[in-house]
Amino acid sequence: ITLTLLIFFFFYPSFASARDNGVLSLGNPNAKVTIKVFSSLTCPHCASFHLEVFDKLMTDFIDKNLVKYEHHSFPLDIAALNADIIVKCELEPVDSFMVLYKIYKNQSEWAIGKDIKKINDKIMKVAQNPKLDRIKMEKCLVNEKIQDSILNERISAQKKYNITSTPTIYINEKIYKGNHKYKDFKKEIEKNL
């Protein structure tokens, strides 16, 4: 995980993250700008967006209390669903964001193949850390409550936002259709501050 993210969690523990109706959020809940990212963890564009934008967003906006960031699970296949289950596997939201980062960063190592058992094994290898061991992840993968929560999150998002592709990004409830490069994204955020 990046140093920026670790520093943020250390200095801003009171609002570093939350879980509202299964949605992972990071940042000041009273920030002027809320960014909602609807993503599938097997989507290469989602991984690129997250890896290109997230650290800079942390430094420039989230750790300055200007932006609240929300990760909305929108799995497009069983591998993405299982990866999201691991992200939300009995972890504090802070730790979930760290696992999310690792899953995106190592997407090419686990997201390819047809054998879901092999894919699950690869996801667990990528996500494993002191707070998330293999036994805990295996229990989560068969936990229908976590799975239902993620699928309901996807259904709700589809009904409310009519999502047709991932990532779909909203800034203060307005769809962002601009370039996924950070400089363009930053300009759009600044318009809302």
Side-chain angles (χ1 to χ4, degrees), residues 133-171:
D133 62 25
R134 186 175 184 91
I135 293 168
K136 186 185 267 190
M137 287 187 275
E138 287 173 349
K139 286 180 182 175
C140 287
L141 284 171
V142 296
N143 184 325
E144 291 181 12
K145 189 175 178 182
I146 298 172
Q147 180 177 321
D148 289 347
S149 173
I150 292 167
L151 293 175
N152 287 331
E153 184 180 340
R154 185 189 189 284
I155 291 165
S156 296
Q158 182 63 45
K159 286 180 182 175
K160 185 172 182 179
Y161 297 99
N162 192 29
I163 296 180
T164 57
S165 64
T166 58
T168 295
I169 303 156
Y170 277 80
I171 300 174

Side-chain angles (χ1 to χ4, degrees), residues 2-107:
T2 66
L3 181 60
T4 304
L5 194 54
L6 291 172
I7 290 169
F8 177 83
F9 292 138
F10 180 76
F11 285 108
Y12 301 98
S14 62
F15 62 83
S17 59
R19 189 172 277 148
D20 302 314
N21 298 324
V23 174
L24 290 175
S25 66
L26 177 69
N28 184 347
N30 300 313
K32 191 171 181 183
V33 175
T34 297
I35 297 169
K36 295 181 179 183
V37 180
F38 299 86
S39 59
S40 177
L41 300 186
T42 52
C43 160
H45 297 295
C46 299
S48 294
F49 175 79
H50 191 84
L51 297 172
E52 163 72 23
V53 169
F54 190 75
D55 281 349
K56 296 171 190 166
L57 191 65
M58 284 287 299
T59 302
D60 293 344
F61 297 103
I62 298 172
D63 68 2
K64 293 177 182 172
N65 300 330
L66 299 172
V67 164
K68 176 185 176 190
Y69 180 93
E70 296 180 358
H71 163 73
H72 291 257
S73 301
F74 201 88
L76 297 176
D77 52 52
I78 189 71
L81 173 63
N82 288 352
D84 245 319
I85 288 170
I86 296 300
V87 167
K88 296 180 176 181
C89 181
E90 298 178 25
L91 291 168
E92 292 298 316
V94 168
D95 299 313
S96 290
F97 268 100
M98 292 181 183
V99 171
L100 177 66
Y101 184 86
K102 287 175 71 177
I103 284 188
Y104 272 138
K105 187 175 182 189
N106 298 289
Q107 187 185 70

